[in-house]
Amino acid sequence: MIDFERGRFWPRALALLIDFVVAAAILQLIAFVLFPLTGGRAQFVSGVAPSCSAVNAIPKGPSLPADYAVGWITDCRYGFFGMTSARILTVTRIPQNEATASARTNIVRLLDAEGKPFNAPTLDSLVLPFLFALRFWFDRGRGTLGRRICRVRLSGVIEAQSPLPIGAAARRYAAQALPLVPLVIWSLLQRVMTGEQAVASLSGSALLAMPGASLLMAVPIAVYAIVCRRDAWYDRWAMTRVLRLDKDRTLIPSPASALPAVRAEAALTHPPALPEPRTGNYFVRHWRGELSLPVSYWANGVVLSAVIGMASGALVVAFTIYGEEQPVPWLIALQTSCLVISLLAIWQVVGVWRAATRYKRSGRSFWGGAAKAAVALAALQLAYGWVFVVGPQIVDTYEMATGDVAFGPHEFNLLADGRMLEFYGGITFGLAKEFESLLDENKGVTTVRLASVGGRIREAQRMSDIVKRRGLATYVVEECLSACTVVFLGGKERFLLDGASLGFHQPSFRGMTASDRKIAIAEEEARLRTFGLSRSFVERVNSASPDDMWYPEQDELVREKVVTWIVPTQPSNSTASTSSVADTVPVAPRAPSVFPTPGAALSGSGAGPAVIPVELIKRLAPPMTAPKATPEPKAETATAGESK
């Protein structure tokens, strides 16, 4: 009996990649021909870098949700040398009540040659079926281009006939395609029924894991068999095998075979002998380093890490969507997932290290040393993540679950006969619910007076939504910093006492990485643009580091529509005190013949910022007692995705 060497993992992976590129390139060429012939109705999106340009308006056709706040719109063409294979319209939204990059949602629509949106599947959905068809056809002869370049051959178990029997090839590729069926069906339903070509959202990622579960189970099992130089599960079922060829295109006998190499076209093969029985638990054998180095590193290291990473990501997604109002379960889930990942990483590192040591003792030192260097870097990365990312995030989640005492106390007070609700102190977790309940109990409130050094940005965004939904005005008499400005911008009318200040800086949270910072800044800039602020002002806001604060001049605040009215503190012909002015409800003037109009104030024209005469304020609301002293600014602490 003659047994032959199986194809190695990397040549087989490279062959698959080459065949995939060939299939995609053929479909790309087909799309170049069909796009002009069908008026842009036949498109292939993948494979070519797009050329994108910003547009100011959405073409007629796409229907967006009523609360969909558009961030930016782009029109992208895919192609080169003047040929087009696809045209895509992307509408991006970053909700004001979310604080993480994962809250960003994209609605992507196909555009025909005339720029009109339409809904139809693209040729991209045919890449996998076309790849299977190419391999099925060419494997019955000398093999696909990828297999020929990488010197591997698909052969039968009993007889290595040329061509390969149709039945064996059909069974093999049917078995390979079976785990993909739920994923393909789900993808088609998403594209056809919802009319959206892609939805980059948290819920989309979570739901995608369900139909992809079969694929997540089938792929690691097949990879493990290939790494171990054994036939994969689909090859055993189809009675096929992938064999290695030498430079002369002949099969290579396994070391146990004493017969010379045989021509691939005439070789007769037999099922491999059963492996010697092994004792001991699989996890224990890895821990002891008894598994081979490829199995320990690739199967138990790389592949298993990818599976656990996706599972942990799904857990984080679930708690981000459903658990943001429940910090205690959130904290438990975060700690549990981090503990599991850490224990798994230790098990992986120790097992690979010991397997590499055994591998080096056999005289092959290069790959053993490379594996040790890789796991050492992985261990350092794990330690760095615990110290600078995971640890700080767990601490902040604990603070949120225990009441956010680090931000200091807060207090609400009714002023001006119940028409003004004053808030001062830290913006802590759960504050938005308290704020809304107070407004429900006091229907006469028309103005919210703010004095805060910031806090949780999500709570501030929820408060801002409440203010905007109820049509309330906002008012600052001393200072409103960081996340407090988010609440202030929600006001229908935004008043600032002359001499008061608004402070802006970049969003921040504990454990923030460099990529997290870039995403958070981009999200914050998009959110500020929804208030009508100019790009230059938004960029200036986010140029201040989290440890710094930018205080714009009042003229600039009025010009940029951040503030609609400046309230004077002391008129020249009145003895009213500053505190009495601060405790009254500011009212925008309604008589254009006497007072400047809101349009003039917002445009920045005239001699300076618009002001409200104090005499009018005194007539509209009687002076109240002096306000409570605003607490001194405290150093902010932050929670991942929750503070600013």
Side-chain angles (χ1 to χ4, degrees):
M1 294 187 298
I2 304 174
D3 195 12
F4 299 93
E5 288 193 10
R6 305 300 190 272
R8 297 179 179 178
F9 174 80
W10 285 116
R12 293 181 62 173
L14 181 59
L16 177 61
L17 177 61
I18 293 174
D19 293 341
F20 182 86
V21 172
V22 170
I26 294 174
L27 291 176
Q28 183 87 62
L29 295 175
I30 294 174
F32 284 142
V33 176
L34 294 181
F35 187 89
L37 295 179
T38 61
R41 293 279 172 166
Q43 300 191 11
F44 184 81
V45 180
S46 306
V48 178
S51 174
C52 299
S53 60
V55 295
N56 297 324
I58 302 175
K60 293 182 180 180
S63 58
L64 302 179
D67 60 344
Y68 198 95
V70 177
W72 57 85
I73 310 169
T74 56
D75 183 355
C76 298
R77 290 178 179 269
Y78 293 74
F80 54 84
F81 299 128
M83 299 182 296
T84 302
S85 63
R87 188 175 177 185
I88 300 295
L89 176 75
T90 304
V91 183
T92 302
R93 168 209 184 193
I94 303 178
Q96 298 182 30
N97 61 347
E98 297 290 344
T100 62
S102 55
R104 182 184 294 110
T105 57
N106 292 340
I107 290 184
V108 182
R109 299 297 179 106
L110 296 175
L111 298 179
D112 61 17
E114 298 179 358
K116 298 179 180 179
F118 72 97
N119 176 35
T122 64
L123 295 179
D124 300 68
S125 59
L126 299 178
V127 173
L128 283 179
F130 190 55
L131 174 63
F132 279 104
L134 283 179
R135 288 200 142 192
F136 173 78
W137 179 262
F138 286 99
D139 280 339
R140 296 180 60 246
R142 299 180 61 188
T144 61
L145 179 63
R147 293 195 195 277
R148 294 173 65 181
I149 292 175
C150 299
R151 298 207 301 266
V152 291
R153 168 72 62 84
L154 180 63
S155 173
V157 172
I158 304 302
E159 293 185 1
Q161 298 177 355
S162 181
L164 183 71
I166 295 178
R171 289 193 302 271
R172 183 180 196 271
Y173 289 113
Q176 284 186 335
L178 188 61
L180 295 171
V181 172
L183 196 61
V184 172
I185 294 175
W186 176 258
S187 178
L188 292 176
L189 289 176
Q190 283 287 94
R191 296 186 178 190
V192 176
M193 296 182 64
T194 67
E196 298 178 6
Q197 298 302 316
V199 179
S201 63
L202 290 175
S203 57
S205 301
L207 294 174
L208 190 63
M210 293 186 293
S214 59
L215 188 63
L216 292 178
M217 292 187 294
V219 170
I221 296 174
V223 170
Y224 174 76
I226 294 171
V227 170
C228 296
R229 308 279 185 87
R230 297 202 296 264
D231 297 328
W233 56 271
Y234 45 81
D235 281 319
R236 294 196 301 269
W237 185 76
M239 301 294 288
T240 58
R241 58 182 59 181
V242 179
L243 302 176
R244 182 184 173 196
L245 304 178
D246 61 14
K247 295 180 180 180
D248 297 326
R249 304 294 173 180
T250 58
L251 298 176
I252 302 176
S254 63
S257 177
L259 297 178
V262 181
R263 294 295 300 177
E265 290 76 4
L268 296 178
T269 60
H270 299 273
L274 294 176
E276 296 181 1
R278 297 179 180 179
T279 59
N281 182 275
Y282 179 84
F283 294 96
V284 174
R285 291 176 57 229
H286 171 84
W287 176 263
R288 294 172 178 173
E290 296 175 357
L291 299 176
S292 65
L293 181 59
V295 173
S296 297
Y297 186 85
W298 293 109
N300 298 342
V302 177
V303 176
L304 188 57
S305 294
V307 173
I308 297 298
M310 287 185 284
S312 300
L315 180 64
V316 172
V317 165
F319 274 90
T320 302
I321 297 175
Y322 305 107
E324 61 181 11
E325 297 294 340
Q326 304 177 21
V328 175
W330 189 357
L331 176 63
I332 294 174
L334 180 62
Q335 291 176 328
T336 302
S337 60
C338 291
L339 178 61
V340 171
I341 291 174
S342 299
L343 293 177
L344 173 66
I346 294 173
W347 175 78
Q348 290 172 315
V349 168
V350 172
V352 173
W353 188 277
R354 291 174 175 174
T357 301
R358 293 178 65 248
Y359 188 86
K360 292 179 66 176
R361 289 174 182 172
S362 64
R364 297 168 290 183
S365 60
F366 175 77
W367 291 113
K372 285 189 173 183
V375 296
L377 290 176
L380 291 176
Q381 183 181 15
L382 176 67
Y384 175 87
W386 259 109
V387 175
F388 296 102
V389 179
V390 178
Q393 291 181 2
I394 291 178
V395 171
D396 269 354
T397 307
Y398 174 80
E399 291 180 355
M400 183 173 62
T402 54
D404 273 337
V405 295
F407 288 109
H410 67 269
E411 187 172 336
F412 287 99
N413 293 303
L414 282 174
L415 304 175
D417 296 329
R419 289 175 293 159
M420 177 187 291
L421 179 63
E422 177 196 47
F423 166 77
Y424 67 90
I427 301 176
T428 58
F429 182 83
L431 183 63
K433 286 186 177 180
E434 181 182 356
F435 176 59
E436 188 166 24
S437 65
L438 287 173
L439 292 176
D440 291 337
E441 296 172 0
N442 300 276
K443 302 295 185 180
V445 172
T446 61
T447 304
V448 178
R449 174 172 149 179
L450 302 167
S452 173
V453 295
R456 307 280 179 193
I457 192 170
R458 284 199 180 188
E459 292 299 318
Q461 289 168 348
R462 294 188 182 101
M463 294 175 68
S464 179
D465 291 340
I466 295 170
V467 170
K468 184 177 181 180
R469 185 171 61 249
R470 294 173 179 259
L472 304 178
T474 50
Y475 184 25
V476 173
V477 299
E478 291 189 9
E479 66 177 6
C480 178
L481 310 179
S482 190
C484 177
T485 60
V486 177
V487 186
F488 178 77
L489 286 170
K492 183 177 181 180
E493 296 284 343
R494 298 182 289 275
F495 299 91
L496 184 69
L497 190 67
D498 192 13
S501 58
L502 299 178
F504 300 86
H505 65 182
Q506 297 174 357
S508 65
F509 55 85
R510 287 182 179 176
M512 174 181 272
T513 63
S515 60
D516 291 335
R517 185 174 302 281
K518 290 180 180 179
I519 294 173
I521 290 175
E523 178 185 325
E524 183 69 3
E525 289 180 351
R527 185 187 64 81
L528 292 176
R529 290 297 302 275
T530 62
F531 292 103
L533 309 184
S534 68
R535 182 177 298 276
S536 60
F537 183 86
V538 168
E539 291 177 352
R540 181 71 185 277
V541 165
N542 288 283
S543 64
S545 67
D547 298 327
D548 197 4
M549 194 74 66
W550 176 51
Y551 298 91
E553 297 293 334
Q554 290 185 346
D555 289 346
E556 186 174 7
L557 291 173
V558 174
R559 184 173 63 252
E560 292 288 341
K561 304 179 184 180
V562 177
V563 173
T564 54
W565 296 99
I566 301 295
V567 180
T569 57
Q570 187 74 34
S572 58
N573 57 350
S574 174
T575 58
S577 66
T578 300
S579 57
S580 64
V581 172
D583 284 341
T584 59
V585 178
V587 180
R590 304 298 180 190
S593 61
V594 180
F595 306 110
T597 63
L602 295 178
S603 64
S605 60
V611 298
I612 305 175
V614 177
E615 291 81 355
L616 177 62
I617 298 175
K618 292 174 63 179
R619 291 199 304 271
L620 293 175
M624 304 294 290
T625 58
K628 295 181 180 295
T630 303
E632 291 295 324
K634 296 182 179 180
E636 292 189 52
T637 59
T639 296
E642 287 286 347
S643 61
K644 180 182 177 184

